[in-house]
Amino acid sequence: MKSIIDAINLEKELHPQATSQDISKLIYQACFGNGHMITSVKDCLDQLKQEVVQDNSKPSIQNIGNGYVRVSCSAMKKKEELYNLLFVHSSKQDPDTKLYQSLLMKYDLQPSNNLHHSKVYVDTYDPHYRIIKKEYIDYMKGIEFVYKQIQNNERTLICIEGPCASGKTTFSNILHELFSLTIFHMDDYFLQPFQRVPERLEEIGGNVDYERVKKEIFDPWSKQENIVYQRYNCQTLKLEEPIHVPYRDIMVIEGSYSCHPYFKEFDTRKIWIDLDSEEQINRLEKRSKNLLERFIKEWIPKENAYFKKYDIKSTCDVII
């Protein structure tokens, strides 16, 4: 609720002529998303193209809370198809009726079927925007890069690197959600017990079974063959049953060590997701508190040594 309350305060600051009708609309958008605006993908795109031409405002992004933002149509010029895709996918989220009712009560508002801005708001601000998931905008630089590869019919493996807890898995899930790309995870390739010998554990960048990654993913992909791979289960300490994946021109490998120089012979595009050390610890404490000490003493130092030795960040095509 706090994120929406903050967003309402911001709305009043940015648009002081906003009425209770406009505040009610923002609350509705934050709780229910944009599903009510979706007719067909084509109709949405046609309408968006019209509004892009009409919108003379400065490109802007306004947080409305609950994981949504308003993106001005002026920010979408020459990118209408991609933003329309994000807009349509942003509708695929469960509504939060309970939160909606609580906020209406807090601001003494009544539910309304009128989902339009007030006349004074329209006359004063001439709003043209789309409601889009905030996480899409957070990763927009990477989404645009991958979208361009797809539009250009590129043939490449996209490797997503960065410190642990930086959001590599989140970003790869977004790519799957938007473009139905196949995702492989480096976390499925931890060293097996027989590999955990002193020489391997001391090797910079050796904290992953890169030989098996190459054999199971890189090699067959380079030959345009279907892929059969096995996930390593850290609980049972065994490889799981083989998974069969059809070949596609663009596939994604996410996780630390996905840009290892062991794979340098292959045609890849590399994306780095940045994260400062303080925020990294905060995220890990929330996500894996019982493993935090091991992250700090073992896994993070190994990652950082690998990043430094091979200058991984500077080899990437995109930095988010």
Side-chain angles (χ1 to χ4, degrees), residues 4-151:
I4 301 179
I5 293 173
D6 290 342
I8 290 171
N9 292 334
L10 176 62
E11 171 71 348
K12 291 178 178 178
E13 179 183 332
L14 294 174
H15 306 111
Q17 297 300 316
T19 68
S20 58
Q21 180 178 330
D22 302 300
I23 300 303
S24 180
K25 180 179 177 70
L26 184 148
I27 292 172
Y28 185 94
Q29 290 173 334
C31 294
F32 292 94
N34 61 13
H36 65 287
M37 300 177 67
I38 305 295
T39 51
S40 72
V41 175
K42 183 181 182 303
D43 289 345
C44 288
L45 179 58
D46 291 342
Q47 180 62 33
L48 175 58
K49 288 180 176 179
Q50 291 180 29
E51 290 192 56
V52 166
V53 174
Q54 297 167 0
D55 190 2
N56 296 314
S57 68
K58 183 179 179 180
S60 64
I61 298 171
Q62 179 184 343
N63 195 339
I64 63 170
N66 202 32
Y68 288 108
V69 294
R70 288 174 175 171
V71 181
S72 68
C73 291
S74 60
M76 305 179 188
K77 290 179 181 177
K78 299 183 179 180
K79 301 176 183 177
E80 292 90 344
E81 288 81 3
L82 175 56
Y83 273 99
N84 192 60
L85 178 68
L86 303 185
F87 173 67
V88 171
H89 276 276
S90 294
S91 68
K92 300 175 182 179
Q93 185 163 313
D94 294 332
D96 196 332
T97 304
K98 185 176 180 181
L99 178 60
Y100 176 65
Q101 293 172 343
S102 297
L103 285 162
L104 290 182
M105 184 178 300
K106 176 178 176 61
Y107 288 95
D108 195 24
L109 299 169
Q110 295 298 319
S112 173
N113 292 324
N114 184 358
L115 299 178
H116 300 287
H117 278 294
S118 66
K119 185 176 185 304
V120 65
Y121 194 101
V122 172
D123 290 344
T124 305
Y125 305 114
D126 189 25
H128 297 278
Y129 60 79
R130 291 295 182 270
I131 304 300
I132 293 177
K133 286 182 181 179
K134 182 179 181 296
E135 66 176 7
Y136 291 167
I137 303 306
D138 291 341
Y139 293 99
M140 193 62 192
K141 197 172 180 180
I143 291 172
E144 285 186 1
F145 178 78
V146 174
Y147 182 71
K148 184 178 180 180
Q149 309 302 309
I150 295 172
Q151 294 301 107

Side-chain angles (χ1 to χ4, degrees), residues 162-166 272-286 292 295-296 300-301 303-304 307 313:
C164 57
S166 59
W272 174 275
I273 302 183
D274 223 349
L275 181 68
D276 66 69
S277 57
E278 183 177 350
E279 178 60 20
Q280 181 184 45
I281 298 303
N282 289 337
R283 292 183 185 183
L284 287 171
E285 188 169 16
K286 293 177 182 178
L292 181 60
F295 271 105
I296 293 173
I300 293 176
E303 268 190 1
N304 290 340
F307 295 149
K313 183 175 178 179

Side-chain angles (χ1 to χ4, degrees), residues 224-274:
Q224 301 187 35
E225 297 176 351
N226 293 337
I227 292 172
V228 181
Y229 75 103
Q230 291 178 275
R231 294 170 175 162
Y232 176 65
N233 189 317
C234 293
Q235 303 300 318
T236 64
L237 304 181
K238 295 179 180 179
L239 294 176
E240 296 183 350
E241 290 298 311
I243 298 173
H244 296 254
V245 178
Y247 166 84
R248 294 185 63 181
D249 283 346
I250 296 179
M251 306 180 94
V252 177
I253 304 177
E254 73 83 19
S256 296
Y257 307 104
S258 62
C259 295
H260 198 290
Y262 193 77
F263 313 130
K264 65 182 179 181
E265 68 185 271
F266 300 97
D267 184 16
T268 62
R269 299 292 181 271
K270 302 173 184 178
I271 298 175
W272 174 275
I273 302 183
D274 223 349

Side-chain angles (χ1 to χ4, degrees), residues 47 54 145 181-182 194 221 239 318:
Q47 180 62 33
Q54 297 167 0
F145 178 78
L181 296 179
T182 299
F194 75 90
W221 177 85
L239 294 176
V318 176

Side-chain angles (χ1 to χ4, degrees), residues 171-189:
F171 176 52
S172 68
N173 288 339
I174 289 173
L175 295 180
H176 175 73
E177 182 178 308
L178 294 176
F179 308 121
S180 299
L181 296 179
T182 299
I183 312 297
F184 300 102
H185 304 278
M186 292 299 289
D187 281 355
D188 292 332
Y189 289 88

